[in-house]
Every structure is written in C-alpha cells, then in structure tokens.
Amino acid sequence: MRFGELLAAVPLEPDPGGQRRLLAEALQLWRGAPFEGVGSQWLDEVESTRMVELYVSAREHWVDLDLAAGRHDAAVAELREVTARYPLREALWSRLLLALRLSGRQAEALACYEEVRVLLADQLGVDPGPELKRQYSELLHSGQPAPAPDSGSSAAAEDNTPAPDHPPAAVPRQLPAARGVFVGRGRELRVMDELFDSAADEPAEPEMIVLHGLGGIGKTALALHWVHSVRERFPDGQLFIDLQGYGPGEPVDPASALHSLLVGVGLPEAQIPDDVEARSSMLRTMLADRQALLVLDNALNADQVRPLIPGPGSLSVVTSRNELHGLAVREGADRIALDELTSAESKALLRARLATQDVGDNLLAELANLCGHVPLALSIAAERSGSAPEAQITALIDELRTRHHPLAALAVGDESGDLRAVFARSYQALGPRAAQAFRVLGRHLGSQFGLPAAAALLGTTPYDAVPVLESLADQHLLSRVDGRRFEFHDLVRAYAVELAHHDGPPTARDRAARNVLPLATRSPATY
C-alpha cells in the first residue's frame, strides 16, 4: 500500500525537507478510518488499528519537524486538531504542552496539562504518564522550555527517561499566628479532628470544613487554633486569605483571591490567566497531587468560595457568618455551627485576658451573662477593665444594665473592637426585605417567638414569612430554636432595637400588628 510505503521511507530520508515531502504525500492519501465503507467480511481489525497507528505517528512526526524548525504556532494549531480526534494519546498532548511552552504560552500549557489530567482520570482512571509529568514539573519549577524532540524520531516525546532533579518550589507558609488566648470549643475541635481523620482515609475526595456563626463568635480563632495543630500534616504548604466578606472594605472578588493564591503557590505573575475559570483550573493544577491547606477566612457566600476550592488531597477550612448551605449541597462541605461559650468558658476567657486573677467568680459570671458569652464581647469587656479590673468591671456591669444602648459600652479601639460595627457588617449583607424585618422584629418581639407572631408584625402569612426569617437565620442574626420558632441573641436584639429607633415611632401597621401579637403567640406555630 502506497501510504505505508511512503511512511516507511521517511526515516531513511536524511533531509528534513525530504521527510516533510514524503509525509505530506502520505497524509494526502488518508481518507478517514481504514476500510470505511467496505463490507464487514473484509474488515481486518488488526490491520485497521495498525493503519491508524501509522497515521497518528505520521502526524506526530510532522509536528516534530515544525518544532525543530521553530514553527511553534503552526505546531499548536496542528495539535489542537489532532488531540481533539485522539484525546487519549498522551504523546500528542506532550507535544502540545511543548509547543505551547516554546511559543511562550506557559499559562495555556498549564491549563492544557489540567485538561489532559482530568480527561485521563475521568476516562481511564489513571494519572498522566512520566513525560507529561516531566514537562509539568519543568513548567512549575524552571520556567524554561524543554529541548525540542528529535525530528528523526516520532517517539521522542514518549521517552520515559526520568526527568532531571529541579530545585524544590517555595512552600507557602501563610498562616497568621494563632490567637494568644483560646479557651473551650472542645466539641468543635473533636469534630474537626474526626472529619480530618476520615478524609485521610479517602484521599481522592476534596475536603472542606465550614465554620459558621455570629459575628464575633470566634470562628477565625478556632480555625487558626486547629490548623496550627495539624499544619505539619500538609507538607506542600498552607495558604491563608481574608476574603473580607463582612469587611473591612469590599469583599475580595474570586479573580483577585485566585491571583493571590496562585502567587502564593509559586506561579509567576506572567503565567496567571486572565479569567476566573482559567485561574481556578490553574489552582487545581498547581495543587494536583499535593497536600496543601487553605484557610478561606470571612467568606461572604458560596459563590465567593467555590472557585477557590482545590482538588483532591488538599483541605479547605472556610469561616463565614453565612451558613453556606450551597457548599454543603454541591461540594459536600462539612459545616460546624459555633454557639456562645459556656459560662465556665466565658469566665476562663475573662480571667485569661484580665491583668489580675483577683476578681470574684460571681462578678465575672454576671459580666459574662451581660456579654452574651460572645468571645469578642468578653474580650472587649476585659480590655475596658484596665489596670483595676474589679472596680472597672463593676462600673461596666452598671453601664451594660442601665444604658439605653448597651452596645455603646462594648466598644474599644478601632472597628475590630466595636461589637456594634461587627453586627452592622452582617446587617449590611441583608436584602431590603430582610433588613426591614430585622428592625421590626427587634422592636416588638422578645428573645423567642414563633412564625405567627413574626408574620403578624411583617404583615404577611406565616408561609411567606419563612424565607425572610430563614435569611436572617442564615446570617446568624436569628437562631433557630426548632423548625418553627426563632430567637434573638440578646446583644443582636439590642442592635436591632437601635436600628428600629432610627426608623422613628411605630407606624399604624406596627400598632395594629402588636394588637394581634398575644393571639399570634398563643396560636400553634404552623404554616
């Protein structure tokens, strides 16, 4: 057959130009699948497979000639077409990676590696072979293009010779120091340990732990305390980013967050893609087969977090005031809710932060109650106690009891030490309807209430009140007592009352609603 004769003559031709002419003539004879249209009785499966192999090898040799002659962009165009037709042939992908590198398109080369890695895992359940891994290592560590394959051998890209050693990439160590005082959270720490240990038994699955709770409840402190205890189990580094979902400043958009993470894992600025999807893919590529730890602090919502999730082998710890249900539904995240500290834990935190231990237990217990057992409020109270804790605590207790706006007493220093400002960030994340409901409910209802009472105040049905109340609960501005009742934390309600005063005196609808509250409160909490 003329096709086979031409290809057999290629290795005997010493001149690259002559090789190209022979290949061109042979490839012009190709008309698709061998024996296509011939009756099945004439189809020789072995011969058909051999012919396809000859054809693909000829295309590889043609690309090798392009690369040897410096026609890198032509090789990329050729390989884009042929890899689409033969997607599981690693030698073609290897040449495509090389052609992209030689064209100075490192970011595309890395994205290409991620594409073939996912393809091989999905279709064959295997990792890329030695040559693809070698080129990937070159891309990450040296930034220099590998030598072009020998144009005289179409199998050059399939050489399994071990890659030379390279200096190890810098390992990121970005965790902030753990908070100086940490008490309690024994249950949560045990749960995190159990989740981490179970994830180690299934390394093929990405793992994510979400810590969610009220602003100031100690989510970041818990996250840092725990990740420092396990960081040595992540030899490929630890990354940290404050997503600023609840301030200060505007939330960090996913593109900017991915840029920071990619720089953190050592990708040169020039190789960072422009769009979010490509950056997300690049992050997974950079962390593929690596054991890394990501702390994504202060997240606003699931959409902000989703592009930042690495692939299998790494662990993400996310903190948020939002319950982030979407991450549990789609990404299988394990969520842990943080409640207030116990009375004993609150007193232990106060003692640890006070300048002296010479303060009575009863005094500390009363202060802890007025602070709602919220770690940030307790820390602010301890800071306000100064060098004479007992006298200052007595004065602070009086202030918290008697002031019309008790949150004014729980502020010290900048915005990070102002509980009112912390709650304001959560309130500002609400939609208009939920924000109005927060003010109205805070003005008129006590700490715990049912759906009928809330619906009466909001001028709607219990059924329609549910999404509004759930929105407030998702931001931890309300707590679910059970499926049909809700409650305010005392300090959160104090903030709602402050906001309601800015709305002016109660409206006629408010007064009418209050008239039916006793009935609504006695009614079964059904909808």
Side-chain angles (χ1 to χ4, degrees):
M1 185 181 290
R2 180 62 177 163
F3 179 76
E5 292 172 356
L6 288 168
L7 293 183
V10 171
L12 304 177
E13 173 59 59
D15 177 51
Q19 294 179 16
R20 186 177 288 276
R21 284 190 296 274
L22 291 168
L23 286 168
E25 185 179 348
L27 292 171
Q28 286 174 356
L29 297 173
W30 188 259
R31 294 292 185 269
F35 311 114
E36 189 173 37
V38 179
S40 60
Q41 67 270 26
W42 299 101
L43 181 60
D44 186 332
E45 186 176 344
V46 174
E47 182 63 15
S48 174
T49 302
R50 188 182 74 84
M51 294 295 289
V52 171
E53 178 65 28
L54 285 173
Y55 169 73
V56 178
S57 295
R59 296 287 297 265
E60 290 172 349
H61 200 139
W62 182 274
V63 167
D64 291 345
L65 291 170
D66 276 341
L67 292 173
R71 291 188 286 269
H72 307 140
D73 289 335
V76 170
E78 178 88 359
L79 287 161
R80 291 290 192 193
E81 186 268 329
V82 75
T83 53
R85 292 178 61 184
Y86 303 97
L88 298 179
R89 190 174 176 95
E90 289 192 49
L92 294 170
W93 288 96
S94 178
R95 284 167 168 80
L96 179 53
L97 273 176
L98 177 61
L100 288 166
R101 293 177 59 199
L102 292 172
S103 302
R105 295 152 71 175
Q106 283 87 351
E108 288 182 62
L110 285 166
C112 175
Y113 178 83
E114 171 68 5
E115 182 181 352
V116 67
R117 185 190 71 79
V118 172
L119 177 70
L120 292 172
D122 288 347
Q123 297 294 319
L124 303 178
V126 299
D127 292 330
E131 173 60 19
L132 279 171
K133 286 185 175 180
R134 182 187 73 81
Q135 292 205 40
Y136 173 61
S137 178
E138 291 280 350
L139 278 166
L140 293 183
H141 299 152
S142 72
Q144 300 299 320
D150 178 2
S151 62
S153 171
S154 65
E158 294 181 309
D159 179 16
N160 288 340
T161 303
D165 291 336
H166 299 286
V171 176
R173 306 288 188 194
Q174 297 182 356
L175 294 181
R179 303 294 165 86
V181 175
F182 184 85
V183 300
R185 302 302 186 195
R187 180 191 68 83
E188 291 86 353
L189 290 169
R190 285 192 298 275
V191 172
M192 295 176 79
D193 285 338
E194 291 168 1
L195 291 172
F196 181 51
D197 291 338
S198 65
D201 297 332
E202 299 179 11
E205 296 294 329
E207 180 66 16
M208 187 189 320
I209 298 174
V210 174
L211 303 176
H212 61 95
L214 176 68
I217 206 67
K219 301 176 293 294
T220 302
L222 172 60
L224 290 177
H225 180 83
W226 185 78
V227 298
H228 274 286
S229 71
V230 299
R231 63 181 178 181
E232 298 306 323
R233 296 172 70 174
F234 294 92
D236 296 310
Q238 306 96 40
L239 297 152
F240 179 94
I241 185 167
D242 181 356
L243 296 173
Q244 298 183 29
Y246 295 87
E250 292 298 313
V252 177
D253 64 89
S256 298
L258 284 164
H259 182 279
S260 298
L261 293 171
L262 288 169
V263 169
V265 296
L267 186 66
E269 289 264 3
Q271 297 180 22
I272 296 177
D274 292 331
D275 63 276
V276 170
E277 185 176 349
R279 288 183 180 184
S280 182
S281 177
M282 186 71 73
L283 180 67
R284 292 191 298 274
T285 299
M286 297 288 288
L287 294 179
D289 303 318
R290 299 170 72 180
Q291 293 176 292
L293 172 65
L294 279 71
V295 180
L296 307 174
D297 190 39
N298 197 10
L300 179 63
N301 53 39
D303 289 338
Q304 187 187 28
V305 172
R306 198 164 275 126
L308 315 182
I309 301 171
S314 295
L315 170 68
S316 302
V317 178
V318 184
T319 73
S320 181
R321 303 182 195 183
N322 189 317
E323 293 199 351
L324 300 181
H325 295 289
L327 292 182
V329 172
R330 285 182 47 183
E331 281 72 28
D334 294 296
R335 299 183 309 114
I336 301 174
L338 269 66
D339 295 321
E340 300 83 26
L341 297 177
T342 66
S343 178
E345 291 168 346
S346 297
K347 289 188 289 183
L349 179 58
L350 284 170
R351 286 198 184 280
R353 288 198 173 272
L354 291 172
T356 177
Q357 299 296 304
D358 190 22
V359 179
D361 234 31
N362 291 339
L363 201 61
L364 290 181
E366 188 170 4
L367 179 60
N369 284 333
L370 290 169
C371 289
H373 304 284
V374 174
L376 178 59
L378 295 165
S379 297
I380 293 170
E383 180 64 22
R384 284 205 55 192
S385 299
S387 57
E390 190 150 346
Q392 294 283 9
I393 287 175
T394 300
L396 181 56
I397 288 173
D398 289 340
E399 196 174 351
L400 288 168
R401 278 176 176 166
T402 59
R403 287 189 73 153
H404 189 55
H405 298 304
L407 291 180
L410 292 173
V412 62
D414 59 19
E415 185 175 306
S416 63
D418 185 339
L419 197 63
R420 180 194 283 125
V422 170
F423 290 165
R425 294 290 183 184
S426 299
Y427 173 76
Q428 290 159 7
L430 299 174
R433 189 180 177 201
Q436 181 185 34
F438 179 69
R439 301 191 304 273
V440 171
L441 297 175
R443 182 198 291 267
H444 296 302
L445 293 181
S447 292
Q448 189 177 128
F449 55 90
L451 277 172
L457 276 170
L458 300 179
T460 187
T461 66
Y463 180 86
D464 290 330
V466 169
V468 179
L469 298 176
E470 289 291 340
S471 176
L472 294 173
D474 284 347
Q475 297 292 334
H476 288 278
L477 292 173
L478 279 181
S479 297
R480 300 176 183 86
V481 179
D482 56 39
R484 305 181 182 196
R485 293 189 67 78
F486 298 82
E487 68 178 351
F488 280 106
H489 186 282
D490 288 343
L491 294 178
V492 174
R493 182 170 183 260
Y495 177 65
V497 170
E498 285 189 13
L499 293 175
H501 283 310
H502 295 304
D503 291 341
T507 64
R509 195 191 76 181
D510 290 336
R511 289 190 293 270
R514 291 202 68 177
N515 291 332
V516 301
L517 280 182
L519 176 62
T521 303
R522 290 195 300 270
S523 300
T526 58
Y527 54 92

